[in-house]
Amino acid sequence: MIWVAWRQHRAQLITLAALLLLGSATVLVLHASMTGDIEEYGLQACLSIREKTPACAQTRVEFQKEWFDLIKVGQGMVFALPVLLGAFFAAPLFAREIEHGTHVLAFTQSVSRLRWMTTKVAVLLLPSAVVVVVLQLLVARWVAAAGLLGPLRSGPFQWLSFDTTGPMPVVHLLFSFALGALLGAVMRRSLMALSATLGTLVVLRVVVTNVAPNFLPVQRLTTSDPTISATPSEPGAMVLDSGFLGKGGQILRPESSDVTSCPIGVDFGACYAEKGLTGTFADVISPAAAPGLQLAEFAVFGLAAVLLLVGTAWTLQRQH
């Protein structure tokens, strides 16, 4: 059965091998080139400095113009890969068999339908997981080498950093494969299943990225001076909301013209007080909460993937 699955999906497996080799080589070359620039510009001391000190300011700008977007592209590759593999590999996995009627021959063999499904999924899913994990680790090493000159400066909640670290790429791949397999078995048309899988995954990722932080504990930071912004002391904290406070601590939403209408040279504190502004606030989430959120999403997506695979097995059992 494994040999048959290999023969059926050798094009996808060769594609995965080529993706692994080309992707790994590209990231390694870029990583080596970037570290060479860090040494050339003398930026080693700036990798862990968040502030733009005079010694780092100019070279930091030049370095980021050249490398920041490239590193983001590397993270974007790790982010998009599970979605693309689920859409282009998993969605046609059973849909093509049913569409062409070849599943009838498979169902008449001595191999059970469950084993047939499990083998076909495993033959593509396991190599895909290897590719995703290897590229994730290489990109993570590249990001770490840039230190606070790169995406690490934005903190762990920046959506690309969050979804490309820890267990997130693997569980997203598992969920994408399970969803694609189920939609393929239900829709029985490769193109329809591919489009539905891709659309569903994109919408779901956008929704989860925006909704998930709402389940984390939020700390409100305040100041008693409206001229001083409330800012988190922890690097990488996620700011959900910020603004001005009025008397009694209620949130005020003044027009920008009201805030900027204080004449230059006057006491801004007194001017703001006349407008009813008594302080500022910021609702923040500690960066220490990021690993817990990743584990929670891992559990939810992992359980959903198992249920989708069970649904796929049940759907295939009903095929004639």
Side-chain angles (χ1 to χ4, degrees):
M1 184 63 204
I2 295 177
W3 172 250
V4 174
W6 148 251
R7 294 286 296 174
Q8 283 184 315
H9 305 297
R10 60 185 180 276
Q12 292 94 322
L13 294 172
I14 292 172
T15 300
L16 286 173
L19 181 62
L20 178 61
L21 292 175
L22 293 176
S24 300
T26 301
V27 174
L28 288 173
V29 169
L30 291 173
H31 181 193
S33 180
M34 186 195 72
T35 53
D37 283 353
I38 290 175
E39 294 179 1
E40 180 182 350
Y41 295 150
L43 287 170
Q44 295 90 338
C46 306
L47 298 179
S48 58
I49 300 176
R50 183 167 293 273
E51 294 76 16
K52 294 184 178 180
T53 59
C56 298
Q58 184 59 36
T59 49
R60 178 196 295 274
V61 172
E62 295 176 1
F63 175 86
Q64 290 181 332
K65 282 183 179 179
E66 183 174 357
W67 288 106
F68 194 86
D69 289 341
L70 279 175
I71 297 174
K72 285 288 189 182
V73 170
Q75 288 184 311
M77 175 185 66
V78 177
F79 176 82
L81 195 55
V83 174
L84 297 177
L85 292 177
F88 289 93
F89 282 9
L93 188 60
F94 302 116
R96 184 179 291 114
E97 295 266 11
I98 299 172
E99 189 175 8
H100 295 164
T102 54
H103 69 294
V104 177
L105 176 61
F107 289 171
T108 59
Q109 305 303 308
S110 59
V111 177
S112 67
R113 298 187 183 192
L114 180 60
R115 182 182 173 189
W116 175 74
M117 182 203 88
T118 303
T119 303
K120 287 176 68 68
V121 170
V123 163
L124 283 183
L125 178 58
L126 295 179
S128 297
V130 171
V131 173
V132 169
V133 170
V134 170
L135 293 180
Q136 175 194 356
L137 294 177
L138 289 176
V139 170
R141 181 169 168 263
W142 185 19
V143 172
L148 293 182
L149 297 173
L152 291 179
R153 185 179 181 85
S154 302
F157 289 109
Q158 198 275 337
W159 65 277
L160 270 181
S161 297
F162 183 85
D163 283 325
T164 58
T165 57
M168 304 310 293
V170 172
V171 77
H172 284 154
L173 175 68
L174 178 60
F175 178 82
S176 300
F177 251 78
L179 179 63
L182 177 61
L183 292 179
V186 171
M187 293 184 170
R188 308 183 183 187
R189 294 291 183 272
S190 298
L191 185 58
M192 289 176 57
L194 189 155
S195 302
T197 301
L198 188 59
T200 302
L201 289 173
V202 170
V203 171
L204 188 60
R205 295 288 286 274
V206 172
V207 171
V208 171
T209 299
N210 288 278
V211 172
N214 295 327
F215 294 94
L216 294 176
V218 178
Q219 179 185 9
R220 171 159 292 180
L221 307 177
T222 61
T223 69
S224 57
D225 186 346
T227 63
I228 301 176
S229 298
T231 55
S233 58
E234 293 181 282
M238 183 180 186
V239 179
L240 297 178
D241 191 15
S242 63
F244 291 96
L245 295 175
K247 294 180 180 179
Q250 75 274 23
I251 296 176
L252 297 181
R253 305 289 185 184
E255 297 291 337
S256 59
S257 58
D258 293 337
V259 177
T260 59
S261 61
C262 295
I264 298 176
V266 304
D267 184 350
F268 283 97
C271 182
Y272 285 172
E274 290 179 3
K275 300 176 184 297
L277 308 178
T278 62
T280 62
F281 79 95
D283 292 335
V284 302
I285 298 176
S286 170
L293 181 58
Q294 285 185 329
L295 289 177
E297 288 195 23
F298 178 84
V300 171
F301 277 106
L303 178 60
V306 172
L307 295 177
L308 290 172
L309 289 175
V310 171
T312 303
W314 180 81
T315 302
L316 291 174
Q317 290 289 344
R318 295 173 60 86
Q319 297 291 340
H320 298 293

